[in-house]
Amino acid sequence: MTQEEVVSGLKKLLSERVRIPVARAQGLDLHTSLLKEGLGLDSLDCVELTIGIEEEFGLVFDDSEEDWMHHFSCLDTLSQLVLTARGELT
């Protein structure tokens, strides 16, 4: 799976799970902030997105990590997390 495919899936999840308008989600680039200062996601949105990612990409994340929000800074870091968890990025 490529980063572009993961990013496309993440944009779809943002629309479906977090209810970001499709046009806005599709317009995001790799480095647009997903958090409050950018797209405006809060911690509950990130939890909902995490559940969607687990279902969409067949992953299970370790929720014992203390600072997991840094993965949600932008689509680049989030897609890299997915690729790493799938063993497709080292």
Side-chain angles (χ1 to χ4, degrees):
M1 180 169 267
T2 67
Q3 184 178 28
E4 292 79 19
E5 292 170 322
V6 173
V7 168
S8 177
L10 292 173
K11 289 178 177 182
K12 178 182 167 202
L13 288 171
L14 284 167
S15 296
E16 294 174 355
R17 301 294 291 231
V18 189
R19 306 212 185 269
I20 301 299
V22 173
R24 186 164 185 205
Q26 292 302 318
L28 296 173
D29 66 34
L30 283 178
H31 301 290
T32 302
S33 175
L34 299 178
L35 301 175
K36 291 182 182 179
E37 65 277 0
L39 189 57
L41 300 185
D42 61 21
S43 59
L44 293 177
D45 293 327
C46 291
V47 168
E48 185 62 33
L49 188 54
T50 299
I51 293 167
I53 290 169
E54 289 179 332
E55 292 172 359
E56 179 76 18
F57 297 103
L59 302 173
V60 176
F61 291 111
D62 178 10
D63 50 343
S64 67
E65 183 178 343
E66 289 184 26
D67 186 24
W68 57 273
M69 287 291 287
H70 71 276
H71 295 295
F72 289 83
S73 63
C74 62
L75 288 173
D76 185 47
T77 57
L78 192 53
S79 62
Q80 288 181 33
L81 171 68
V82 170
L83 289 167
T84 299
R86 290 176 52 95
E88 297 176 13
L89 183 69
T90 56

